[in-house]
Amino acid sequence: MLGISLLPARLRSIGNQDGSGKPGYLNRRISPLLQGLSRRSCTHPIHIIVFVALLASTSYIGLLEGSLFESGRGSTDASQGIDMATLLEGGRSLKVGLETGWKWQSESCGHIEDISAERLVLITLVFPNSLSNNSPQTAPLAEAVPVSSNSSARPLPSTSNPFSPISQDTALAFSVNSDEAAAFINELQELPEHNELAQGLDARMWVMNAHRSKGTGSQNALRNWASNAWTEFVDLLKNAESLDITIMVLGYLSMHLTFVSLFMSMKRMGSNFWLATTVLFSSVFAFLFGLIVTTKLGVPINMVLLSEGLPFLVVTIGFEKPIILTKAVLSASLNSRRQDTRPNNEPNGIPVGCNANTIQGAVQAAVREKGFEIVRDYAIEVAILTAGAASGVQGGLRQFCFLAAWILFFDCVLLFTFYTAILSVKLEINRIKRHVALRRALEEDGVSRRVAENVATSNEWPRPEKEDGAADQPGISVFGKKVRDSSVPRFKVLMMGGFILINVVNLCTIPFRAGNKNAAPPIVSGISGVVTSPPIDPFKVAEKGIEYIYTIAKEGQKTTVVTILPPIKYELYSSSLSSFAEENASIFDIDYRDQLFDVVGGRVIEGVLNSLEDPVLSKWIIVALTMSLILNGYLFNAARWSVPNEHAFMDRTAVEPAIRPKAAPIEPSQHGRSPADCEQIVRENMAATLSDDELLAIAVRGKIPAHALEKTLDNPKVMTKLASLTRAVKIRRGIISRNPATAETSTLLEGSKLPYENYNYENVHGACCENVIGYLPLPLGVAGPLVIDGQNFYIPMATTEGVLVASTNRGCKAINAGGGAVTILTGDGMTRGPCVAFSTLKRAGVAKLWLDSDEGQKIMKAAFNSTSRFARLQSMKTALAGTYLFIRFKTTTGDAMGMNMISKGVECALNVMMEKNGFEDMSIISVSGNYCTDKKAAAINWIDGRGKSVVAEAIIPGDVVRKQLKSDVNAMVELNMAKNLIGSAMAGSIGGFNAHAANIVAAMFLATGQDPAQVVESSSCITVMKNYNDNLQISVSMPCIEVGTIGGGTVLEPQQAMLDLLGVKGAHTTNPGDNARKLARIIAASVLAGEVSLCAALAAGHLVRAHMAHNRSVIPTRSSTPVSAALQAGPNRGQIQEGLAMTTTR
């Protein structure tokens, strides 16, 4: 950051006194304050945003009515004359005489020491657009300017306009004694136009801008402000050097590049618009606060000074601090995802006491980490600017330094309040969007709404915070209160009522807001609106007039002091000022306000009405209210999505990722109940109040079907959803154990070691399994890490086959020694092949031709794509078998495996084909006609691919093959040719040209929640080995890996943990489908590792020995293994002998 870079290196560690990162004294004192401030901002962001916005609007009105623009109630009106003090402040005084050597010297205005000197004021009158020959308006002549007979005013030669091609202005110059200047200027407030002097008509009048603005109503405020601003801009150009203009252009260009850099930085962090816009709003608010404080303290600030200084302040300070804070919040958020998996004594990068699992906690962790550094940088910059304000530098630098110091102070305050509030709202909105997207994706894949909601809630991150500060349970939003059923409609009523009330107040106060037509409007008016702000160059404004005065002073040998006032602007009107004011008066320009304000609160109400009156601010208020309605409507819908439906599901405790304790069933009273009473209780939907024995007795008699236990016991008033599901499993086990038909085999189930407690059945019920009696724990191991496309991964494998994980782990080491595996995705498309039938072959042929045509493809694609946000039809392949037509739809499915999603799209497309395209005689035999082909080995999958098609390759150095794999490159190439290629061909295999790809695929499918039945086609693989410069080049080609990261078994929490281990949990946030494709690449590379290790073991004869060593108590000798015996009986060829030379018995 800029401030800290100005310090010596030894002083930059003020916050961290030692190298260990221990916070210093100031850090320990300041960080808790910043954390408390940011926590309140994050807990109540709406309050903070509204409060800051109200302060900013109040500051805006204060500026409009304050000293910056010299308007408001205290402005000088026509009867009081022109404020000469303001004019003199914008002028320059020059002195010439004998003591100056007859050279012009600059003097401070109003501080002329020589009382004997003649003091003159040089006044320049500017008449815009009156110089051109074809101009319809003509400036008055110098002789027509009214001058009193006793006045010392005399005309001077006017200075030519260097910007005449642009502005076409006419100027008149006069000199007058300083004590007569005010009266002379008051006489010049209205001047007649030259062309109509002699015609006796209602002459058009040149009206001084300052005088005219006092008579205008508020209806023309914005137009007058724009006109004055343009006038000041043109005058600034006239009096500026070319070098100054170039510097300012570069300054503004750099400022806009800084804005662009801000948006690009925020875009890289995931926010395309809102965060960068919030930073700009925060900076604007800080500018308003700094400006109002500066002006109230009496420091003179003018618009030219602001326009010249602000670009360089923006470029110099920049927006690095909000970017740093945003990065720190996101980093704390990401780091906290693994906080719970680390030991308590292990550092995890999260500050102690900060629960970064929540939005508030992430912000606090970031503030604790970076807050002191940011405040330190602000303090350094403010100190430098304060030093500049206290210096003696002239030319407006002191005033601007004073203003900039206040701007930075308020910018620091707003960063930890306003910006953190917006940031927390943005994170909350992103969380809601991810929640809704994941839930909808699961629903499209066929998962029930209840399970989809549970999974989406359990995957929420950052999580909402509980009342006790924990983040494991939802229920507390970023707005600080629980979202209850009654909260949403109440909040809607309050927001809509507030919006309507504001508009009613706005309409009812229209008569009070037009203002007094004799009062100055709250816009840029007064002298600042008609003169060029300092600094001015006297010789550019009135060069010829100064030369004339110089000549007169030197001839008379008299010291002369000349004050050159900024040019005074005029505008041409068709009538005098009084009639102009009447023409512009509104029907509401009646002074109602005095009586109203005396009753209801004085200037507070007046300030509010003025803020609504302002043409710019009133439009911003409408825009802000509209955006507020849109945002709240979105949050209301999101809250409605998250609020439990009384008739669907009520419990939310099941979303906890931690293991849940057994819920003790509510025991009924011990009073005896007859079977009839128990059955009546069941019919009244109060079965949850019965004891387990009573429920078993009723179920065994057949009064409660075993498959309906979950529905029967569901009663949120008695027990939680998870407790009722667990109890249903327990009762079902008892029913099965007491079934007399299976008494010989099932009696021991109830007391068996099959576990059923401490499991989240909410994600199982209605999604993964029915008639649940427990769950089966499987051993889970990891191989690796394995370098895949430059990134390290641990490979999770659920298996009961010994040596499999160890063997794959050995292959990972060998691949890593060669630089890792490289993968290529060659295809991505899930298939479904329905079968339709026609009465004749001719009709079937017509349908096939139509489906293969461009028209048919277009219609079917539109119908298919309309059913899902993720499924997109890529192609259709048709085949005829008699009158049966088979259509193979191939589509993308996002991050879901997608069978349910694609089936829905196929049904819709076939219905459109049958009902709207002339194939009413078509009958749908089956949505799946085995032309897909799903869960079966098929040549069409091997050729065209299904799911993800991936090729993985690795090059293993020859010495690694010899030392780690205990084999030889040529031996492994020979074995792969003989076993995987020729042997599989001899067996007529389809996709089985590998050693044991199904082993790794099945283990990873079980670990990551994939469909185990799809191992059949997903393990289709051909392994190719080559001798590449004495190194082993091995590749696996797998054309149909059918995986997904949402839906199916991936909704189960243990499987989600393994997906998270691979970095592919859930749907990809920005590019749907990337997570599933990445998982397919990882599986292919893992198969590669398994192939390397097994083929090396086979080539070296180690397979059986390894299995016996790991799975048997007695290790057989080398000669007793079947593989070694077969190898010893093989042909005695040199290459094979060379390959087997390392398999000697030890």
Side-chain angles (χ1 to χ4, degrees):
M1 287 184 282
L2 174 65
I4 196 64
S5 64
L6 299 175
L7 288 178
R10 67 179 183 276
L11 297 180
R12 297 178 190 175
S13 60
I14 185 173
N16 297 319
Q17 300 293 344
D18 50 35
S20 62
K22 182 179 179 181
Y25 175 79
L26 292 178
N27 194 340
R28 293 195 301 270
R29 294 295 180 270
I30 295 177
S31 293
L33 299 177
L34 297 178
Q35 284 183 280
L37 188 63
S38 63
R39 176 171 178 79
R40 285 172 175 79
S41 300
C42 295
T43 306
H44 306 286
I46 302 300
H47 303 77
I48 296 296
I49 295 170
V50 172
F51 179 71
V52 172
L54 287 176
L55 283 182
S57 63
T58 303
S59 301
Y60 172 75
I61 297 301
L63 288 173
L64 294 181
E65 297 182 344
S67 60
L68 177 65
F69 302 120
E70 298 182 5
S71 62
R73 292 184 179 273
S75 298
T76 304
D77 58 24
S79 63
Q80 295 173 329
I82 298 298
D83 186 2
M84 282 299 298
T86 303
L87 280 174
L88 291 174
E89 287 178 1
R92 293 283 300 276
S93 294
L94 300 177
K95 180 179 180 181
V96 68
L98 185 61
E99 61 271 24
T100 65
W102 293 106
K103 294 181 180 179
W104 290 108
Q105 291 183 356
S106 178
E107 293 285 342
S108 298
C109 293
H111 295 83
I112 308 302
E113 298 180 357
D114 191 352
I115 60 175
S116 63
E118 183 181 8
R119 288 171 291 178
L120 301 177
V121 175
L122 197 155
I123 302 170
T124 303
L125 311 179
V126 178
F127 305 91
N129 301 320
S130 59
L131 188 61
S132 175
N133 294 329
N134 56 0
S135 175
Q137 52 194 41
T138 306
L141 300 177
E143 296 79 9
V145 175
V147 179
S148 302
S149 57
N150 58 350
S151 174
S152 62
R154 58 179 180 269
L156 300 177
S158 59
T159 303
S160 61
N161 183 6
F163 282 84
S164 57
I166 299 177
S167 58
Q168 301 289 335
D169 296 347
T170 300
L172 298 179
F174 293 87
S175 67
V176 64
N177 290 338
S178 59
D179 54 351
E180 301 176 9
F184 179 69
I185 293 176
N186 283 329
E187 295 176 358
L188 304 180
Q189 291 179 359
E190 295 183 14
L191 297 175
E193 188 182 15
H194 171 63
N195 283 345
E196 299 181 0
L197 285 176
Q199 297 181 7
L201 302 175
D202 186 12
R204 293 193 299 177
M205 305 296 293
W206 286 99
V207 180
M208 189 181 296
N209 278 12
H211 189 58
R212 188 266 309 167
S213 64
K214 296 178 180 60
T216 58
S218 60
Q219 312 300 324
N220 296 314
L222 184 61
R223 183 183 65 184
N224 295 335
W225 176 86
S227 175
N228 292 335
W230 171 252
T231 302
E232 291 190 6
F233 174 73
V234 173
D235 290 338
L236 183 63
L237 287 180
K238 294 177 184 178
N239 295 282
E241 298 288 346
S242 299
L243 180 60
D244 295 337
I245 296 176
T246 303
I247 293 175
M248 289 305 303
V249 169
L250 292 176
Y252 273 93
L253 180 62
S254 300
M255 181 179 70
H256 286 85
L257 290 177
T258 304
F259 295 153
V260 173
S261 176
L262 169 65
F263 277 88
M264 292 179 64
S265 298
M266 291 301 184
K267 186 176 182 180
R268 285 193 293 267
M269 288 184 283
S271 175
N272 295 330
F273 176 77
W274 288 111
L275 287 185
T277 304
T278 300
V279 173
L280 295 181
F281 269 107
S282 178
S283 300
V284 171
F285 290 167
F287 168 72
L288 289 175
F289 296 153
L291 204 56
I292 191 67
V293 171
T294 303
T295 55
K296 293 302 181 183
L297 291 177
V299 178
I301 299 293
N302 57 76
M303 296 302 296
V304 175
L305 184 62
L306 293 178
S307 64
E308 291 178 350
L310 281 180
F312 298 99
L313 179 65
V314 171
V315 173
T316 305
I317 303 301
F319 303 103
E320 188 178 8
K321 300 176 189 68
I323 295 174
I324 289 175
L325 182 61
T326 306
K327 287 182 178 178
V329 171
L330 297 180
S331 298
S333 301
L334 295 175
N335 292 338
S336 69
R337 300 191 66 177
R338 292 171 174 83
Q339 181 179 6
D340 296 336
T341 63
R342 298 175 183 266
N344 293 333
N345 58 351
E346 181 180 345
N348 50 28
I350 303 299
V352 178
C354 294
N355 181 11
N357 282 324
T358 65
I359 295 174
Q360 295 92 334
V363 174
Q364 284 195 86
V367 170
R368 182 181 180 89
E369 180 184 1
K370 296 292 184 182
F372 177 76
E373 297 179 10
I374 294 174
V375 172
R376 177 184 59 190
D377 227 56
Y378 272 118
I380 294 170
E381 292 161 355
V382 170
I384 294 173
L385 291 170
T386 303
S391 66
V393 180
Q394 299 296 326
L397 181 59
R398 295 176 58 189
Q399 292 88 336
F400 185 78
C401 287
F402 188 81
L403 170 63
W406 279 109
I407 292 175
L408 290 184
F409 169 77
F410 286 112
D411 193 51
C412 179
V413 174
L414 292 176
L415 177 63
F416 293 102
T417 53
F418 179 75
Y419 180 72
T420 53
I422 295 289
L423 183 60
S424 63
V425 172
K426 175 66 175 175
L427 290 175
E428 175 74 3
I429 292 174
N430 288 346
R431 181 190 65 80
I432 294 172
K433 291 172 64 177
R434 289 193 300 268
H435 175 102
V436 174
L438 179 57
R439 194 205 69 205
R440 289 181 175 176
L442 289 170
E443 290 178 351
E444 288 184 7
D445 197 44
V447 179
S448 66
R449 178 181 177 86
R450 181 186 57 79
V451 176
E453 180 68 25
N454 288 340
V455 173
T457 305
S458 64
N459 282 275
E460 280 184 358
W461 195 92
R463 299 172 188 154
E465 189 172 11
K466 294 195 305 182
E467 289 178 345
D468 57 2
D472 294 329
Q473 292 182 349
I476 300 293
S477 70
V478 73
F479 308 106
K481 292 186 178 180
K482 277 190 176 181
V483 179
R484 300 184 177 90
D485 291 326
S486 59
S487 300
V488 174
R490 185 186 306 120
F491 196 37
K492 284 183 178 180
V493 171
L494 290 176
M495 291 300 298
M496 293 300 298
F499 179 72
I500 295 173
L501 179 62
I502 289 176
N503 282 277
V504 170
V505 172
N506 193 13
L507 293 174
C508 294
T509 55
I510 287 178
F512 307 101
R513 292 190 282 114
N516 191 338
K517 61 183 178 181
N518 296 322
I523 54 128
V524 179
S525 61
I527 292 300
S528 64
V530 298
V531 300
T532 303
S533 301
I536 66 170
D537 186 346
F539 294 97
K540 283 191 174 182
V541 174
E543 181 180 5
K544 292 184 178 180
I546 293 175
E547 291 178 356
Y548 180 82
I549 293 175
Y550 175 84
T551 303
I552 299 298
K554 191 171 184 180
E555 289 178 355
Q557 293 292 309
K558 187 173 183 180
T559 301
T560 304
V561 177
V562 181
T563 300
I564 300 94
L565 299 182
I568 298 177
K569 301 295 180 282
Y570 284 79
E571 289 187 22
L572 187 63
Y573 293 95
S574 59
S575 59
S576 65
L577 180 63
S578 57
S579 59
F580 174 82
E582 294 174 359
E583 292 173 3
N584 285 274
S586 168
I587 60 173
F588 296 113
D589 285 340
I590 305 173
D591 191 4
Y592 297 101
R593 289 198 273 192
D594 291 339
Q595 301 174 3
L596 176 65
F597 295 151
D598 289 341
V599 178
V600 295
R603 292 186 58 83
V604 175
I605 301 298
E606 182 181 9
V608 173
L609 296 181
N610 281 339
S611 66
L612 295 176
E613 172 187 353
D614 183 80
V616 177
L617 187 60
S618 60
K619 293 178 176 59
W620 275 107
I621 292 175
I622 295 174
V623 172
L625 289 172
T626 304
M627 294 181 62
S628 175
L629 281 178
I630 296 173
L631 174 62
N632 282 289
Y634 184 85
L635 293 176
F636 295 151
N637 289 331
R640 188 186 69 244
W641 296 328
S642 301
V643 171
N645 188 328
E646 182 179 358
H647 302 288
F649 53 96
M650 296 291 293
D651 181 45
R652 277 294 174 272
T653 60
V655 299
E656 300 179 25
I659 295 178
R660 297 156 178 80
K662 177 182 177 181
I666 299 177
E667 295 293 340
S669 63
Q670 298 302 318
H671 301 292
R673 284 185 287 223
S674 65
D677 293 337
C678 294
E679 293 175 12
Q680 179 62 30
I681 292 174
V682 171
R683 286 192 290 269
E684 293 173 356
N685 295 325
M686 295 297 293
T689 61
L690 298 175
S691 67
D692 291 347
D693 291 337
E694 289 172 332
L695 287 170
L696 277 171
I698 296 174
V700 168
R701 292 197 304 270
K703 300 301 181 180
I704 302 178
H707 67 271
L709 283 170
E710 286 81 4
K711 181 179 180 181
T712 303
L713 292 176
D714 187 14
N715 192 331
K717 297 180 180 179
V718 178
M719 62 177 62
T720 64
K721 184 72 175 181
L722 177 61
S724 65
L725 292 175
T726 305
R727 193 179 182 197
V729 174
K730 179 182 178 182
I731 301 299
R732 186 176 291 111
R733 290 161 65 103
I735 294 173
I736 295 173
S737 298
R738 289 165 173 77
N739 190 339
T742 59
E744 295 181 359
T745 57
S746 62
T747 304
L748 301 178
L749 175 63
E750 187 175 13
S752 67
K753 292 186 177 181
L754 175 68
Y756 73 93
E757 297 177 300
N758 302 325
Y759 194 78
N760 185 7
Y761 291 105
E762 287 200 79
N763 292 347
V764 177
H765 180 61
C768 297
C769 188
E770 298 77 32
N771 284 340
V772 180
I773 60 173
Y775 57 92
L776 285 172
L778 272 177
L780 179 67
V782 291
L786 175 61
V787 179
I788 306 173
D789 297 325
Q791 185 177 356
N792 284 280
F793 295 94
Y794 276 105
I795 310 302
M797 303 174 68
T799 181
T800 57
E801 179 180 351
V803 192
L804 178 60
V805 177
S807 176
T808 307
N809 190 67
R810 184 174 76 142
C812 292
K813 292 181 179 179
I815 292 174
N816 291 343
V822 178
T823 64
I824 297 295
L825 186 79
T826 60
D828 181 9
M830 182 52 65
T831 62
R832 176 60 86 192
C835 174
V836 298
F838 293 87
S839 57
T840 64
L841 177 61
K842 181 178 180 180
R843 287 294 296 163
V846 171
K848 174 177 170 52
L849 293 176
W850 183 81
L851 288 170
D852 293 340
S853 66
D854 292 339
E855 179 187 4
Q857 295 272 338
K858 182 178 179 181
I859 293 175
M860 297 293 279
K861 181 175 292 187
F864 185 96
N865 294 347
S866 66
T867 62
S868 172
R869 296 179 301 147
F870 303 102
R872 292 295 178 265
L873 182 60
Q874 294 176 332
S875 62
M876 291 185 299
K877 184 176 183 178
T878 58
L880 275 175
T883 58
Y884 295 105
L885 176 62
F886 295 86
I887 312 167
R888 193 171 193 257
F889 290 77
K890 190 171 186 179
T891 77
T892 59
T893 55
D895 283 304
M897 188 273 291
M899 290 304 301
N900 295 322
M901 187 186 304
I902 190 175
S903 298
K904 182 169 60 175
V906 167
E907 285 185 342
C908 178
L910 292 179
N911 289 331
V912 169
M913 174 183 175
M914 183 169 54
E915 298 172 1
K916 298 183 180 180
N917 292 278
F919 295 100
E920 293 83 0
D921 57 336
M922 181 181 78
S923 60
I924 301 175
I925 303 300
S926 174
V927 174
S928 176
N930 277 6
Y931 194 54
C932 313
T933 297
D934 187 34
K935 301 179 176 66
K936 291 167 281 292
I940 193 170
N941 290 345
W942 179 248
I943 296 170
D944 286 347
R946 189 170 193 258
K948 277 67 177 173
S949 301
V950 184
V951 180
E953 179 200 58
I955 298 177
I956 304 174
D959 59 341
V960 175
V961 176
R962 289 187 296 271
K963 296 177 181 179
Q964 286 191 13
L965 301 178
K966 309 300 181 184
S967 186
D968 180 79
V969 173
N970 291 328
M972 292 186 65
V973 172
E974 176 70 14
L975 180 134
N976 182 70
M977 178 68 70
K979 169 184 168 59
N980 293 339
L981 303 184
I982 299 176
S984 298
M986 292 293 293
S989 176
I990 298 177
F993 302 94
N994 56 81
H996 71 147
N999 254 338
I1000 288 84
V1001 173
M1004 294 192 67
F1005 269 35
L1006 290 173
T1008 58
Q1010 310 304 314
D1011 189 344
Q1014 291 183 324
V1015 173
V1016 175
E1017 63 267 36
S1018 295
S1019 59
S1020 297
C1021 170
I1022 181 170
T1023 302
V1024 178
M1025 295 186 189
K1026 295 181 181 179
N1027 187 326
Y1028 182 77
N1029 297 331
D1030 294 329
N1031 301 318
L1032 178 64
Q1033 183 183 41
I1034 179 173
S1035 65
V1036 293
S1037 301
M1038 306 181 69
C1040 38
I1041 302 178
E1042 301 166 3
V1043 293
T1045 58
I1046 60 174
T1050 64
V1051 303
L1052 303 177
E1053 291 168 354
Q1055 283 75 3
Q1056 286 184 352
M1058 293 302 97
L1059 291 173
D1060 202 20
L1061 177 69
L1062 297 173
V1064 295
K1065 177 182 176 183
H1068 195 275
T1069 55
T1070 57
N1071 192 14
D1074 276 3
N1075 280 353
R1077 288 186 283 268
K1078 186 176 181 180
L1079 177 59
R1081 291 172 182 265
I1082 295 173
I1083 291 175
S1086 303
V1087 170
L1088 185 68
E1091 292 289 284
V1092 167
S1093 182
L1094 179 58
C1095 290
L1098 289 171
H1102 296 162
L1103 175 64
V1104 177
R1105 175 179 293 184
H1107 272 274
M1108 299 305 294
H1110 285 80
N1111 303 321
R1112 302 290 185 272
S1113 59
V1114 179
I1115 302 177
T1117 63
R1118 173 68 175 84
S1119 60
S1120 65
T1121 63
V1123 174
S1124 60
L1127 291 173
Q1128 290 176 357
N1132 185 15
R1133 293 189 298 165
Q1135 186 177 9
I1136 296 181
Q1137 291 295 335
E1138 179 184 359
L1140 301 179
M1142 303 181 68
T1143 64
T1144 57
T1145 306
R1146 297 180 181 178

